[in-house]
Amino acid sequence: MFSVSARTQYAIRAMTCLATKPDRSSTSAEIAQAENIPAKYLEGILSRLKAFGLIESERGKNGGYRMAKNPSDITMLEIVEAIDGRIKPVTCVDAIGACAQGAACHPRNFWIGLKSTIDAYLAERTLKDVAQG
Amino acid sequence: MFSVSARTQYAIRAMTCLATKPDRSSTSAEIAQAENIPAKYLEGILSRLKAFGLIESERGKNGGYRMAKNPSDITMLEIVEAIDGRIKPVTCVDAIGACAQGAACHPRNFWIGLKSTIDAYLAERTLKDVAQG
DNA sequence: TTAATTCCTATCTGGATAGTAGGAATATAT
DNA sequence: ATATATTCCTACTATCCAGATAGGAATTAA
């Protein structure tokens, strides 16, 4: 229940890896080896993180990835949402009537509250916090 | 991300349904129709809820299901755990070293904290709260 | 003995997740 | 120029599991 996708776990590990090397850029292969992540799979993850503005990259020889911001300025919520999108326990959190129960959906507020709780937890911790353990 | 299984949503709806009829017992088919849940699928869900002591049942003619406790004494955490087991964002929440990173797993405490946060939210709300919307 | 019900076991299926493959585009160094 | 190292893009495959269905056995009341 509420399990975190491998993708997101990989993303977090990759980010912590980059966070420890702020001065230079790391290649995807380097990160993959250091963090024990399937190399080709990681490439796609790094693309998403880049598209979300969390990391930067340079192509070609001597290319690689590096942090786009300070680790203390990146919340865990940003990383999670970059990879798996907004947290949505049930389909009707966004719009009333988005489930088969329509307006009679009693649990809706309960789920919305859960989402808020999770979001708050994730938004309160930064990559720096997590990298330190 | 963090989406709730249909099973759990069905279970909650079934429980709210029973909670509104504390005096008599309801059949699985009744609940299925009232809550728009696949009838046969619901049977398995009710079995789990019973195994967990949240509801009681009688077989045979005039049989059915009813609440085993007062709705205000059933937490949402109980329902969720009855259906999908303990909340476990990552495999290593229970035992250090249960992931490939072993003792060097930096995000572990972060995930444990998330689990605690979710558990607390669910444990603080009762079926009565949710049934009222 | 019939009808209504829970309970048990087995099976099917679609879609998502995880991972692989191949190569195009780009940059550097020599 | 050319070789090399890298990101980036697209497509494919495999595996797993949630969701659902099917058929009937066990049990109980009328």
Side-chain angles (χ1 to χ4, degrees), chain B residues 15 18 42-59 64-69 82-83:
Chain B
M15 291 295 282
L18 288 174
L42 177 60
E43 289 183 11
I45 293 168
L46 293 170
S47 282
R48 297 214 210 188
L49 293 170
K50 181 188 176 181
F52 226 75
L54 301 180
I55 61 178
E56 292 168 345
S57 69
E58 307 261 355
R59 306 175 93 178
Y65 299 88
R66 69 186 121 64
M67 304 290 301
K69 313 181 190 181
I83 300 302

Side-chain angles (χ1 to χ4, degrees), chain B:
Chain B
M1 188 87 202
F2 292 123
S3 57
V4 174
S5 67
R7 271 208 313 266
T8 293
Q9 295 183 58
Y10 291 159
I12 291 171
R13 296 222 301 273
M15 291 295 282
T16 60
C17 183
L18 288 174
T20 62
K21 291 151 191 157
D23 44 336
R24 64 190 193 78
S25 77
S26 314
T27 68
S28 143
E30 251 183 288
I31 302 169
Q33 186 169 23
E35 296 293 334
N36 195 30
I37 301 170
K40 272 294 201 180
Y41 195 47
L42 177 60
E43 289 183 11
I45 293 168
L46 293 170
S47 282
R48 297 214 210 188
L49 293 170
K50 181 188 176 181
F52 226 75
L54 301 180
I55 61 178
E56 292 168 345
S57 69
E58 307 261 355
R59 306 175 93 178
K61 198 160 185 176
N62 296 344
Y65 299 88
R66 69 186 121 64
M67 304 290 301
K69 313 181 190 181
N70 199 302
S72 58
D73 291 332
I74 296 180
T75 71
M76 297 307 288
L77 184 60
E78 289 180 274
I79 300 177
V80 165
E81 289 191 338
I83 300 302
D84 277 337
R86 296 184 66 226
I87 285 163
K88 201 192 259 196
V90 295
T91 57
C92 61
V93 288
D94 283 335
I96 194 165
C99 67
Q101 276 55 51
C105 179
H106 292 121
R108 181 163 179 262
N109 285 328
F110 168 70
W111 294 125
I112 289 177
L114 176 62
K115 171 187 162 47
S116 303
T117 301
I118 297 173
D119 278 352
Y121 178 87
L122 296 178
E124 279 163 11
R125 335 261 142 173
T126 71
L127 178 59
K128 186 185 171 203
D129 300 330
V130 172
Q132 290 172 346

Side-chain angles (χ1 to χ4, degrees), chain A residues 100-128:
Chain A
Q101 278 55 51
C105 179
H106 291 122
R108 181 163 180 262
N109 285 328
F110 168 71
W111 295 125
I112 289 177
L114 176 61
K115 172 187 161 48
S116 301
T117 301
I118 297 173
D119 277 351
Y121 178 87
L122 296 178
E124 278 163 13
R125 335 260 143 175
T126 70
L127 178 60
K128 186 184 171 203

Side-chain angles (χ1 to χ4, degrees), chain A residues 4-7 10 38 40-41 43 59-62:
Chain A
V4 174
S5 67
R7 270 208 315 265
Y10 290 159
K40 272 294 201 181
Y41 195 47
E43 290 183 10
R59 306 174 93 178
K61 196 159 187 178
N62 296 345

